[in-house]
Amino acid sequence: MNADEIVVGAGLTGLVYANVAAAHGRNVVVLEQHTKVGGYASNFKRKRQYIFDCSLHKITGLGENGNLADALERAGLLELIDFHLYENLTTFIIGGRVIKLPADGRKFFQCLSREFPDQSTALEKLSSDIRSHGYQNYMLARLALGEYQIDPSLIIGSKALSKITAFEYFRSIFDNDDLITLFCALSVNLGVEAYEADALYFLHFAYTFLFTDKGYIKGSSQTLSDILAAELERRGGTILVREPVTKLKVAGNKLTGCQTKRYDISAKHIVFTACPHQIAELLPEQCHSTGFFEKLDKLEFGLGAFIVYLGLDAPPHECGLTVSDYLVGDTDYLHNAEVALNTDTRYDCWPLSISNYHELDPDYGYVVQLEILDHKSDWFDLDRDAYRKKKKHMALRIIDRACKNFPALKDHIKYMDISTPRTNYKFTGSGGGSAFGYKPVPGRNTRFLQTPPVAGLQFVGTWVNGAGYEPAMCLGFTTATLRNRLHTPEN
């Protein structure tokens, strides 16, 4: 098989990239090792009545301020997708306190100023930093397209923020433990633990999470992936599922294509959206002598997730779950944040997300998902029996935690499934079972990923620039658009 380009991975990055490339007449082949497209933007069905989303279903970057809406419109994809917007961001629960947080950023800060009146000045400081440093970092995607001008006055401040953790940043401006815990808890939507992630990374996320519109798609995130896949095929692209790449072909220092189980595909350009660590096993030995792999080994894998998928025998509202999204904080989080990184304490004190998908779309069935962030830990070292035992034990622990606020939930559980970082690795090959790319710790360096060890290979996606549905799709669009410009006749 011959192609102009090969895209490895049929997640959101790969599907958007391929759509833009195909629209400009390039012959694109997308390879996916799983049985369906979507990556983490996919679902699975159980007992013929429960549809479970593999990842949280909150898509940022919509509306007039959103990079995602702009990218999808320019790619000719926006009109194909029926986004439903959220009015509320989440309902935060800590101790006996329940705070319903609006999705609109201005109303969000007004709400918190009412709840924490003595923290109003600090909240104004955070809002200002989000709308300046966070906004500028958010707009770097448009900078690459020549559509945004850097504000030089922010550079020094942004660098300083990139060298401290979000946890340190919150503690420097707030003196209320519940409020600090709230903002640390919001980081679950970015896939990071605030104790580790750098503050600028959080502010970038906070801008898109608070000051752009958020939406979801009925039918689960699989619907989004299926729409993008169908449009790609309509545009002439090819998608091959159950086709993991087994070898990258190299002549000299240039890629010439790749091999899969069934195909030998020739192409001079390969877009690799999967974990960059995987190429070590795919490239021939002579390509391993560069310092690239030494730098790669210094990067830390980001967090995965521990998810408990619950099918109920009654509507979730009968269990007290009356809205689509809850975020539960622990009053002892600040005191346990450091020790929780390396102990099972995290299951008790890290933020717990409770998603009532039935509220978003009744066609899911009576479905509730419980999620906390997690890491490799010892999940990969356990034998089969020990793994199953620990998985069930931790699931029951998470359920008990949710039932402290929704006690009726336990009596209505009819079906349970569980996902761990080991599950993530099984279906995606992501290093360490990460669902969110490399860990965005202060001082990290991922710029070297822009210069792969062989010509013709390009890393694109959340492993390079950060996690989330919006970054995944925007990176696919931006990279393909820049490549189109490079190969127009006048260039």
Side-chain angles (χ1 to χ4, degrees):
M1 183 182 294
N2 295 309
D4 296 323
E5 296 192 69
I6 298 168
V7 177
V8 179
L12 295 178
T13 299
L15 291 173
V16 171
Y17 180 97
N19 263 286
V20 176
H24 285 80
R26 298 206 297 278
N27 177 16
V28 186
V29 175
V30 180
L31 302 174
E32 172 56 49
Q33 69 172 5
H34 194 25
T35 58
K36 59 169 70 176
V37 300
Y40 287 109
S42 58
N43 67 17
F44 60 95
K45 192 171 185 177
R46 294 290 186 266
K47 301 294 184 182
R48 299 184 179 180
Q49 57 182 315
Y50 303 124
I51 297 175
F52 296 112
D53 236 320
C54 291
S55 58
L56 292 177
H57 202 161
K58 196 173 266 112
I59 305 171
T60 61
L62 304 175
E64 61 181 17
N65 295 332
N67 284 340
L68 178 59
D70 176 77
L72 292 177
E73 183 173 21
R74 292 160 69 173
L77 299 170
L78 186 60
E79 64 182 16
L80 305 177
I81 306 166
D82 186 16
F83 287 111
H84 298 261
L85 299 183
Y86 289 92
E87 292 184 9
N88 295 302
L89 190 67
T90 189
T91 296
F92 182 67
I93 303 173
I94 186 166
R97 194 171 201 164
V98 179
I99 307 173
K100 193 172 186 178
L101 296 169
D104 176 81
R106 182 178 59 84
K107 294 179 181 178
F108 171 90
F109 280 102
Q110 289 174 348
C111 170
L112 290 183
S113 291
R114 291 192 298 270
E115 289 285 338
F116 304 94
D118 61 326
Q119 301 294 299
S120 293
T121 301
L123 285 164
E124 289 176 6
K125 160 69 174 168
L126 174 58
S127 177
S128 175
D129 283 350
I130 291 172
R131 289 180 284 108
S132 55
H133 297 288
Y135 172 74
Q136 177 147 290
N137 213 48
Y138 177 64
M139 292 299 288
L140 293 181
R142 303 288 278 273
L143 176 71
L145 294 170
E147 300 169 0
Y148 176 73
Q149 293 277 330
I150 287 280
D151 181 349
S153 68
L154 296 175
I155 293 176
I156 293 176
S158 289
K159 284 185 177 179
L161 287 164
S162 71
K163 295 178 180 178
I164 63 172
T165 66
F167 186 85
E168 292 169 327
Y169 171 74
F170 299 143
R171 299 211 75 161
S172 73
I173 61 175
F174 298 122
D175 57 16
N176 182 287
D177 286 358
D178 284 359
L179 188 56
I180 295 173
T181 303
L182 185 154
F183 281 106
C184 289
L186 287 177
S187 300
V188 71
N189 293 278
L190 185 59
V192 299
E193 166 54 33
Y195 193 84
E196 298 179 304
D198 80 65
L200 184 61
Y201 192 74
F202 174 84
L203 293 173
H204 172 157
F205 148 76
Y207 179 81
T208 185
F209 203 56
L210 297 175
F211 292 101
T212 71
D213 289 344
K214 280 70 64 182
Y216 65 96
I217 298 170
K218 294 199 173 186
S220 83
S221 55
Q222 185 70 59
T223 300
L224 171 61
S225 301
D226 290 345
I227 289 171
L228 295 175
E231 179 61 13
L232 172 58
E233 291 180 328
R234 191 193 69 79
R235 294 180 181 188
T238 301
I239 303 174
L240 301 175
V241 297
R242 296 187 179 92
E243 285 297 334
V245 175
T246 58
K247 179 182 179 181
L248 295 176
K249 300 189 298 178
V250 178
N253 192 43
K254 294 183 179 179
L255 277 177
T256 60
C258 73
Q259 291 178 350
T260 72
K261 291 186 302 181
R262 295 182 293 171
Y263 295 94
D264 187 318
I265 309 173
S266 297
K268 294 181 179 180
H269 187 244
I270 295 181
V271 171
F272 202 87
T273 70
C275 176
H277 271 75
Q278 294 182 32
I279 67 163
E281 298 178 359
L282 302 176
L283 286 173
E285 190 64 32
Q286 68 266 23
C287 300
H288 289 202
S289 59
T290 69
F292 178 87
F293 291 98
E294 293 179 6
K295 294 178 182 178
L296 194 64
D297 287 340
K298 292 179 182 178
L299 295 178
E300 297 179 67
F301 293 124
L303 296 174
F306 187 95
I307 307 177
V308 183
Y309 303 93
L310 299 177
L312 310 181
D313 62 9
H317 68 79
E318 293 187 13
C319 305
L321 295 155
T322 57
V323 297
S324 64
D325 190 89
Y326 297 88
L327 196 53
V328 181
D330 186 78
T331 53
D332 290 328
Y333 168 79
L334 299 185
H335 308 293
N336 292 323
E338 182 174 10
V339 69
L341 288 173
N342 299 307
T343 70
D344 288 349
T345 305
R346 64 185 176 278
Y347 297 101
D348 300 317
C349 73
W350 275 12
L352 170 63
S353 171
I354 303 177
S355 298
N356 174 9
Y357 281 99
H358 181 263
E359 182 69 21
L360 297 178
D361 184 353
D363 288 343
Y364 278 89
Y366 299 150
V367 165
V368 171
Q369 294 179 202
L370 313 178
E371 176 172 350
I372 71 161
L373 297 177
D374 203 356
H375 52 66
K376 182 178 180 180
S377 185
D378 63 348
W379 289 115
F380 290 73
D381 303 323
L382 302 173
D383 62 36
R384 186 174 183 180
D385 289 340
Y387 175 70
R388 287 181 172 181
K389 184 177 179 180
K390 180 178 178 179
K391 189 166 69 167
K392 184 175 181 180
H393 173 73
M394 292 306 175
L396 295 176
R397 193 163 163 175
I398 295 297
I399 291 171
D400 285 343
R401 191 173 165 197
C403 288
K404 289 179 181 178
N405 293 289
F406 304 100
L409 180 64
K410 185 173 289 188
D411 294 333
H412 290 284
I413 296 173
K414 184 178 179 182
Y415 174 82
M416 179 174 72
D417 210 333
I418 308 163
S419 172
T420 74
R422 184 162 155 175
T423 314
N424 296 347
Y425 179 78
K426 176 181 177 181
F427 288 103
T428 69
S430 295
S434 171
F436 303 98
Y438 293 114
K439 191 174 291 186
V441 295
R444 72 195 178 284
N445 175 24
T446 58
R447 290 188 296 276
F448 73 94
L449 291 173
Q450 299 171 15
T451 311
V454 290
L457 178 64
Q458 186 172 19
F459 297 115
V460 182
T462 56
W463 282 96
V464 181
N465 292 88
Y469 282 22
E470 179 185 3
M473 289 185 275
C474 284
L475 286 164
F477 168 78
T478 300
T479 307
T481 299
L482 290 173
R483 186 163 176 78
N484 290 338
R485 290 179 183 177
L486 186 66
H487 289 82
T488 54
E490 60 268 24
N491 292 327

